[in-house]
Amino acid sequence: MKTRAECLEKYGSDYFIEKKIKEGELFKVGKGIYSEKKYVPEIAMFVYKYPNAVVTMKSAFYFHGLTDVIPDECDLATTRDATKIKDERVKQYFVPDDFFEEGIEAADYKGYDIRIYNKERMLIELVRYKSKLPFDYYKEIILNYRKLLPRLDMQKIQDYALMAPKSNKVLEILQMEVL
């Protein structure tokens, strides 16, 4: 993928960019985002467009195979001081700066690199947002986490829980519902 600025640098002008589009050598995949591939997954385009954001919540649960519910929008986490994302296809979660970087991993999604929170961090996010999620959806993911428990890094889960806002409540819910 390339930004408009990168395309201008490579092709010289908007005229030549449009020419490449008409010839089928370049495709506009989003506002100001171009690709040499015709199909680019929406999540990959958003991660490229917002490089400081991290895939989280429903998008991450789906990516990690914890649910089969396809998200309606792309959930991205940013720091609290980040600019508001003005795209109705994106749901933005503002995360405290001291907790934002914890659990980020690079993953491959259909040939595209994305930044996403790991499964251990997503368990903490599930518990933190429990009251904002539909009950059936929450239960499905909790049951899938219980099946995964032997393969998860328990030390990471405990560390993330202690760093999370309202850590006492998070630890209490983890103890009662997951562990």
Side-chain angles (χ1 to χ4, degrees):
M1 284 186 277
K2 296 174 177 34
T3 63
R4 181 177 173 275
E6 291 169 329
C7 286
L8 283 171
E9 190 176 303
K10 183 174 181 178
Y11 301 115
S13 71
D14 284 325
Y15 170 79
F16 289 114
I17 293 172
E18 288 301 318
K19 186 176 178 190
K20 291 291 183 188
I21 291 171
K22 286 180 183 156
E23 292 170 354
E25 294 177 33
L26 192 65
F27 302 92
K28 188 172 183 173
V29 295
K31 187 176 180 183
I33 308 288
Y34 300 86
S35 174
E36 291 164 355
K37 294 181 183 176
K38 187 173 186 173
Y39 172 74
V40 175
E42 198 170 55
I43 195 168
M45 190 267 300
F46 286 129
V47 169
Y48 182 80
K49 189 172 183 177
Y50 307 107
N52 296 324
V54 180
V55 176
T56 191
M57 295 307 291
K58 291 180 182 179
S59 299
F61 294 134
Y62 180 75
F63 176 85
H64 286 306
L66 295 163
T67 181
D68 56 2
V69 176
I70 299 169
D72 296 331
E73 53 205 357
C74 183
D75 295 328
L76 296 177
T78 60
T79 57
R80 288 224 169 120
D81 61 344
T83 305
K84 174 111 174 79
I85 297 173
K86 294 179 178 106
D87 189 320
E88 65 276 350
R89 299 170 296 171
V90 175
K91 183 169 183 180
Q92 186 175 8
Y93 291 82
F94 293 97
V95 179
D97 292 357
D98 59 339
F99 191 51
F100 178 74
E101 293 289 330
E102 301 300 325
I104 296 175
E105 64 182 18
D108 178 72
Y109 183 76
K110 298 182 181 181
Y112 295 91
D113 290 330
I114 63 170
R115 287 172 20 119
I116 188 168
Y117 285 125
N118 61 29
K119 289 178 184 172
E120 289 85 358
R121 169 66 188 265
M122 288 312 305
L123 176 57
I124 303 305
E125 296 303 306
L126 177 67
V127 170
R128 285 181 63 215
Y129 287 95
K130 175 183 178 179
S131 64
K132 293 183 168 87
L133 296 171
F135 180 75
D136 291 344
Y137 182 79
Y138 174 81
K139 272 302 191 201
E140 173 192 7
I141 295 170
I142 282 291
L143 290 173
N144 285 326
Y145 264 113
R146 286 180 186 157
K147 293 175 195 171
L148 281 176
L149 217 50
R151 291 177 286 187
L152 295 177
D153 185 333
M154 297 308 287
Q155 187 61 51
K156 281 184 183 177
I157 292 170
Q158 187 173 8
D159 291 346
Y160 298 150
L162 291 170
M163 288 180 225
K166 300 179 184 171
S167 61
N168 289 339
K169 184 73 174 162
V170 169
L171 286 167
E172 181 183 317
I173 294 170
L174 279 173
Q175 195 64 40
M176 287 178 14
E177 297 187 20
V178 183
L179 307 175

